[in-house]
Amino acid sequence: MNLPESKCSCSTPPTERYDRQLPLFGRVGQQKLSDASVFIAGAGGLGSPVATYLAAAGVGKIVLLDCDIVDKTNLNRQFLHHEKDIGRQKAESGAEKLTALNPEIQVKSVCSKLTEENIEKLVGDCRIIVDALDNDKTRRILASFAIQTKRPYFHAAVSGFQGQFASFYPEDGPCYFCAFPEDEEGDDNEAEAEKPIFPIVGATAGIIGSMQANEIIKYITDAGKRQVGKLFIWDGLTDRFEIIEIEKETSCHCSSKTESK
Ligand SMILES: [Zn+2]
């Protein structure tokens, strides 16, 4: 794994909080989790499971971004937010729950809309980028930034009983735009327009967000096998996963726009 900020000193023994996962990762793996920094864009249906499991696993720094306010219609799936949080900023409500779950980690809330102008400042020194978004325009900004700055990018999206996720690594395999070329993604004004109301089952977001978290934990700890160049599509009505191979495109961002930062 290539996490520049990770320097495993293992000087501080992990607490008993992690006893049930230490047999899997060892102290070295737990220290890698503690040294990791993750930027999560979206504190909603996907952000709730992915942020919760990363916090519980001991990821040392989580930055949680969302510009929305908690609404009652969010509560069927966005379990970071409770009835009492209606009207609050999602990022603040979510960060509060993560800190309550694991006060041994650092959690920062960002109540801002992600733009090409502010993304570098908002992501800061987080080395891992998580897409828990609900619109493709912001997703493209996030994915493009990940490519430019050579950060791993964990994509997910859900609608109804369906969901998908894919992991993209700077040093290996295709990128998000190889799978979803920009000219096929439709209206650039999508995020500016009123958000469409799409049906969603909370459990579906939970399944996909949990798989995202699992891949991120594997990446950080070097456990198992990375799923490179694969788009996983889940159909909750038939309980089936379809796995689509993503080809690396020679004319893509990942081949022409990569730079070091
Ligand atoms: Zn690409």
Side-chain angles (χ1 to χ4, degrees):
M1 187 180 65
N2 181 22
L3 278 179
E5 67 181 11
S6 290
K7 291 173 184 159
C8 178
S9 60
C10 298
S11 54
T12 308
T15 67
E16 63 182 350
R17 174 187 303 272
Y18 308 115
D19 275 359
R20 298 294 287 272
Q21 62 190 48
L22 281 170
L24 303 171
F25 310 139
R27 286 180 56 172
V28 171
Q30 193 61 50
Q31 187 65 41
K32 286 178 178 176
L33 286 166
S34 179
D35 289 342
S37 52
V38 180
F39 180 83
I40 302 175
L46 286 166
S48 290
V50 72
T52 297
Y53 280 123
L54 293 182
V59 166
K61 178 180 176 183
I62 293 174
V63 175
L64 186 64
L65 172 135
D66 207 302
C67 64
D68 283 343
I69 302 292
V70 179
D71 183 88
K72 191 153 189 167
T73 63
N74 301 148
L75 302 185
N76 79 320
R77 63 200 183 279
Q78 302 183 14
F79 59 77
L80 276 178
H81 317 299
H82 303 165
E83 181 87 15
K84 67 179 174 59
D85 299 313
I86 291 171
R88 294 181 67 195
Q89 288 281 352
K90 285 187 185 178
E92 290 179 359
S93 164
E96 181 182 283
K97 308 303 188 308
L98 298 177
T99 300
L101 173 64
N102 189 350
E104 297 172 17
I105 64 169
Q106 180 189 352
V107 183
K108 180 183 173 188
S109 63
V110 180
C111 308
S112 297
K113 184 176 178 179
L114 201 64
T115 67
E116 289 176 341
E117 289 71 37
N118 67 14
I119 188 168
E120 184 171 2
K121 183 178 177 199
L122 296 184
V123 173
D125 61 0
C126 289
R127 298 305 308 169
I128 294 171
I129 293 181
V130 179
D131 162 13
L133 292 162
D134 62 359
N135 75 84
D136 284 337
K137 181 174 182 181
T138 313
R139 193 167 270 137
R140 290 199 293 275
I141 293 171
L142 195 65
S144 186
F145 180 78
I147 295 163
Q148 290 168 15
T149 60
K150 296 185 177 179
R151 288 163 160 96
Y153 173 67
F154 295 88
H155 158 72
V158 287
S159 180
F161 279 97
Q162 278 77 45
Q164 66 184 38
F165 86 95
S167 309
F168 300 102
Y169 302 97
E171 67 277 19
D172 192 12
C175 78
Y176 173 81
F177 295 99
C178 292
F180 307 102
E182 284 184 276
D183 58 358
E184 291 181 10
E185 297 212 13
D187 188 359
D188 267 357
N189 295 320
E190 174 194 353
E192 304 299 332
E194 193 171 332
K195 281 185 182 174
I197 297 174
F198 59 90
I200 175 72
V201 177
T204 301
I207 290 166
I208 300 300
S210 298
M211 295 200 71
Q212 240 183 333
N214 190 64
E215 284 302 306
I216 295 164
I217 290 168
K218 281 167 53 188
Y219 170 72
I220 293 170
T221 60
D222 268 333
K225 181 184 175 188
R226 290 188 199 172
Q227 299 300 332
V228 177
K230 290 183 170 57
L231 176 65
F232 291 77
I233 301 176
W234 163 253
D235 183 343
L237 290 176
T238 57
D239 300 313
R240 291 175 69 92
F241 263 112
E242 181 182 2
I243 302 175
I244 296 175
E245 300 289 334
I246 306 167
E247 300 292 332
K248 190 173 176 76
E249 300 291 338
T250 53
S251 59
C252 184
H253 286 245
C254 55
S255 301
S256 59
K257 292 189 177 178
T258 307
E259 62 186 52
S260 294
K261 283 203 175 180

